[in-house]
Amino acid sequence: VQLVESGGGLVQAADSLSLSCVPSGRTFSRYDMGWFRQAPGKECEVVAVIAWSGASTYYAESVKGRFTISRDNGKSTVYLQMNSLKPEDTAVYYCAVRDVDTGGAYTGPYDYWGQGTQVTVSS
């Protein structure tokens, strides 16, 4: 499975940015999707994840009310709308997927990861 992320960039604080991710290659019939991020010197952390059906979502406390994860299964695409960005949101953002049929919860663990896209928020 290859994951292609797009939409990163350099913005100012309080700006908005939208990320998207499309899996290609060998894919699963059903897969949960999520966004994670890693800032310099910090561990990778979950940002938001969404179940295959789209009915369930989970957000990190730090992004609740500012970020929205969504998916379009017809386009096999997951989106992350980021509003009111802060300098502390600066990180490499990774898209990830997991096969629903392996069992477990949509919150993880995730098995396949993209290359990442840089998001930089200046103050």
Side-chain angles (χ1 to χ4, degrees):
V1 178
Q2 291 81 44
L3 300 172
V4 180
E5 301 125 330
S6 61
L10 171 63
V11 296
Q12 294 185 333
D15 282 352
S16 297
L17 203 59
S18 181
L19 305 181
S20 62
C21 173
V22 181
S24 64
R26 184 179 75 88
T27 58
F28 317 114
S29 59
R30 300 183 302 163
Y31 44 91
D32 302 321
M33 304 184 80
W35 290 96
F36 299 76
R37 68 186 181 187
Q38 186 167 23
K42 295 187 177 181
E43 293 187 353
C44 187
E45 62 177 357
V46 62
V47 176
V49 293
I50 184 167
W52 162 246
S53 66
S56 299
T57 57
Y58 170 86
Y59 293 92
E61 284 295 326
S62 60
V63 306
K64 278 185 179 179
R66 299 189 298 122
F67 291 11
T68 302
I69 189 171
S70 61
R71 65 187 297 163
D72 182 337
N73 287 345
K75 297 180 179 179
S76 301
T77 303
V78 63
Y79 305 94
L80 184 68
Q81 178 64 40
M82 304 183 292
N83 298 329
S84 302
L85 283 161
K86 304 175 181 179
E88 50 264 44
D89 294 318
T90 295
V92 177
Y93 283 69
Y94 297 92
C95 174
V97 302
R98 63 177 299 277
D99 184 354
V100 171
D101 292 331
T102 61
Y106 75 99
T107 48
Y110 279 69
D111 306 305
Y112 300 89
W113 296 75
Q115 293 296 310
T117 185
Q118 178 70 46
V119 172
T120 303
V121 184
S122 63
S123 58

